[in-house]
Amino acid sequence: MSEIGKLWVTISAKTDEFNKNLQGVRQKMQNVGGSLMSTGGMLTKGVTLPLIAAGGAALGLVNQMAQAGDEIQKAALRTGFSTEALSEYKHAAELSGASIESVEKAVKRMQKNLLDAENGLSTATRGLDNLGLSLDELRQMSPEDQFNTIAMALAEIEDPSLRAAMAQEAFGRAGTELLPMLADGADGLEAMRQEAHDLGIVFDQEAADAAAKFNDDMDRLKKGIGGAFRELGMKLMPIMNDFVNVLRENLVPWVSELADKISNLVD
């Protein structure tokens, strides 16, 4: 028999052996696949497709609302503001090219300045004096009212350069970002805050809490689905391990032997 004929006999024998070892793995995978297809077959196209389409649209709408409400609710917890006030300032800031993050940064800087003023730091007390504000009066207010009072005082400054300097002193770098919000004075700021109510985009505490809960529950659902797939993967792993072992124990030596024989044949 020629070398090519011997090589062909070897390949055929190895192929038969490899197929035999794969048969057990194949049967296990067919059993799993059949079970999955049987489960999926219980859902009919006439029922599931319309429900999925309608549910997807509704879920998208609710999810969009929940994201906005969740953002407001958590920002309110961080700043001590009411959800209504934060909704108003979010709208005013966005109309002015800023964001709710800018408002939150300004609040944090304001609170630090008030603490510095209370501790007697001259630069902080001088800033309040320049705005005509009393530290004793501000200390009796909520964070929301403190911010409102300082923002209104800044909005009343007519000189743009002085307003910019005072805004940065009161609110830090975020004060510069919020300058367009103060450009039309106290009346302009109040008009933008009222507009948020007119547009129906103000979250009261109940609505913000509901949105945050929905968002948190959706996060739990995603993690639960991920956990279910993880469990499925763990159960499939022994089957895949069998498959990998068959490849490693049979295919790799076979390919190596085939390569040697082809190399000898070429020689």
Side-chain angles (χ1 to χ4, degrees), residues 44 55 87 98 143 149 153 207 220 232 238 251 258 260:
T44 63
S87 299
T149 301
R220 295 186 183 99
L232 176 61
L251 184 60
L258 179 62
D260 289 341

Side-chain angles (χ1 to χ4, degrees), residues 110 128 131 133 138 146-154 170-171:
M110 175 199 74
L128 294 178
L131 289 172
L133 300 176
L138 287 171
Q146 290 171 346
F147 184 84
N148 290 342
T149 301
I150 295 174
M152 288 300 183
L154 289 169
F171 296 142

Side-chain angles (χ1 to χ4, degrees), residues 4 34 68 77 87 168 230 266:
I4 295 178
L77 292 175
S87 299
Q168 189 163 7
R230 179 179 176 275
V266 170

Side-chain angles (χ1 to χ4, degrees), residues 84-85 87-88 91 192-202:
E84 290 88 347
S87 299
E88 296 165 4
H91 176 63
M192 288 188 287
R193 295 180 64 185
Q194 179 57 46
E195 187 178 45
H197 289 271
D198 298 338
L199 294 174
I201 56 176
V202 173

